Amino acid sequence: MAYRNLLVSDRGAVRTITANRPDKLNALNRETLNELTLAFGQAAQDDAVRCVVLTGAGDKAFVAGADIAEMNGYTPLQGQAFSATGQQLMSRIERLGKPVIARIPGYALGGGMELAMACHLRIASEKARFGQPEINLGLIPGFGGTQRLLRLAGRGAALELCLLGKQINAERAQELGIVTQVVAPEGLDEAVQAVADQLAASAPCAAAGILDAVLQGGETGIDQGLSYETQGFALCFATEDMREGTTAFLERRNPEFKGR
Ligand code: CO8
């Protein structure tokens, strides 16, 4: 499928989706949000895709936020619809059932930081900058930022970043638990590729079970969360991959997971 604002490519079982508006620092307009929703829907349905990398074109930005020029003319109802579309996209990514890595070369601001936080792992260049600057525009985060930042980094960091609207560097973002790994700009692709390859080679049922237990189970009480874990654990016993993983351990060899 051809997109106007995205690039999509496959390398083995790793699909890379790139927001491709570099002249606007990959800002999310309505069309880009809709295309991302379609692209993630396709990635979810394609069994050959085991891991998704989400990034932005160029080395200056991951995504510098929602498109401010487009939002400037919105009515409240359009703002509500835009927020709902964005939140649906973020939930679709978070609940994809396959690991999603955000590759962050530069700015991840506002809706861009929210997009990165909807991914499961975040690998950033030392040059990356993070922030929720919506308050400087008379806005609040509208793509789930208040909730995901709270869960990732706690109430203190969520209030500090959202109320002060300031930017933080990648090192600080890592200290706060927002970023998984920080690397030199020239090492970003190699680092992302290594993690993506590892995830793509893992057992999909196990990866899906972990995502489900942590993300869905984690939003419930401890008993229900543990029940999510038990269900996911039990389901693995129905897979060839679980037999392969345990047999490979006993035979002292590396497992070869087939996604069955
Ligand atoms: N929207 C639209 N255009 C943008 C955006 C954006 N968020 N960010 C950058 N651009 C454009 C600039 O307008 C400029 O375009 P042009 O060349 O046509 O003038 C181009 O990208 C390059 O940007 P700059 O010249 O500003 O580059 P600098 O290196 O000088 O600065 C910054 C880089 C610091 C990243 C700066 O561009 C900036 O501050 N951008 C805005 C960051 C921001 O405030 N993001 C939050 C937006 S609000 C949001 O995301 C809310 C999400 C929830 C929405 C809920 C819906 C209701």
Side-chain angles (χ1 to χ4, degrees):
M1 177 162 180
Y3 296 104
R4 276 159 50 100
N5 306 281
L6 303 182
L7 300 171
V8 178
S9 64
D10 288 338
R11 188 183 50 79
V14 178
R15 175 156 301 172
T16 298
I17 300 174
T18 304
N20 188 30
R21 301 181 73 212
D23 53 326
K24 297 293 177 193
L25 303 186
N26 307 315
L28 299 172
N29 58 7
R30 227 177 327 197
E31 194 178 53
T32 308
L33 279 184
N34 289 335
E35 289 188 354
L36 281 168
T37 304
L38 281 174
F40 273 95
Q42 286 185 327
Q45 281 166 17
D46 189 340
D47 287 342
V49 175
R50 301 251 200 113
C51 171
V52 179
V53 174
L54 174 62
T55 191
D59 58 4
K60 202 168 163 188
F62 172 70
V63 164
D67 191 312
I68 298 170
E70 199 177 79
M71 282 194 302
N72 179 253
Y74 280 175
T75 63
L77 279 181
Q78 286 172 319
Q80 188 184 40
F82 188 59
S83 173
T85 306
Q87 287 191 6
Q88 280 160 16
L89 167 65
M90 307 301 153
S91 296
R92 172 167 285 198
I93 294 171
E94 196 169 64
R95 297 175 192 180
L96 198 71
K98 305 175 185 191
V100 183
I101 304 168
R103 172 193 173 277
I104 306 167
Y107 292 112
L109 300 175
M113 177 152 167
E114 293 171 298
L115 186 62
M117 290 191 296
C119 300
H120 306 123
L121 300 174
R122 283 154 290 281
I123 302 180
S125 155
E126 286 163 352
K127 280 174 32 190
R129 295 286 178 274
F130 297 82
Q132 297 291 162
E134 288 88 345
I135 195 165
N136 303 328
L137 301 165
L139 279 168
I140 75 166
F143 293 158
T146 57
Q147 301 309 299
R148 289 200 178 85
L149 184 52
L150 172 69
R151 283 159 176 73
L152 262 181
R155 194 179 286 194
L159 288 173
E160 183 188 354
L161 289 184
C162 294
L163 281 177
L164 300 182
K166 66 181 188 184
Q167 288 182 21
I168 56 170
N169 63 22
E171 190 187 359
R172 179 75 184 128
Q174 190 176 31
E175 280 167 11
L176 290 172
I178 297 167
V179 166
T180 317
Q181 193 181 342
V182 180
V183 296
E186 60 277 13
L188 183 60
D189 284 325
E190 195 184 330
V192 170
Q193 197 168 315
V195 176
D197 285 347
Q198 181 183 336
L199 290 168
S202 67
C205 184
I210 289 165
L211 292 172
D212 196 42
V214 173
L215 295 167
Q216 311 306 313
E219 293 301 325
T220 64
I222 180 76
D223 288 339
Q224 221 180 326
L226 288 170
S227 166
Y228 268 86
E229 189 179 88
T230 298
Q231 301 299 328
F233 184 75
L235 200 58
C236 291
F237 287 80
T239 65
E240 287 177 27
D241 284 342
M242 175 268 169
R243 304 291 161 201
E244 165 64 7
T246 48
T247 303
F249 174 82
L250 296 172
E251 293 176 353
R252 297 181 179 274
R253 60 176 173 82
N254 290 326
E256 204 179 311
F257 296 118
K258 296 203 167 69
R260 292 200 291 262

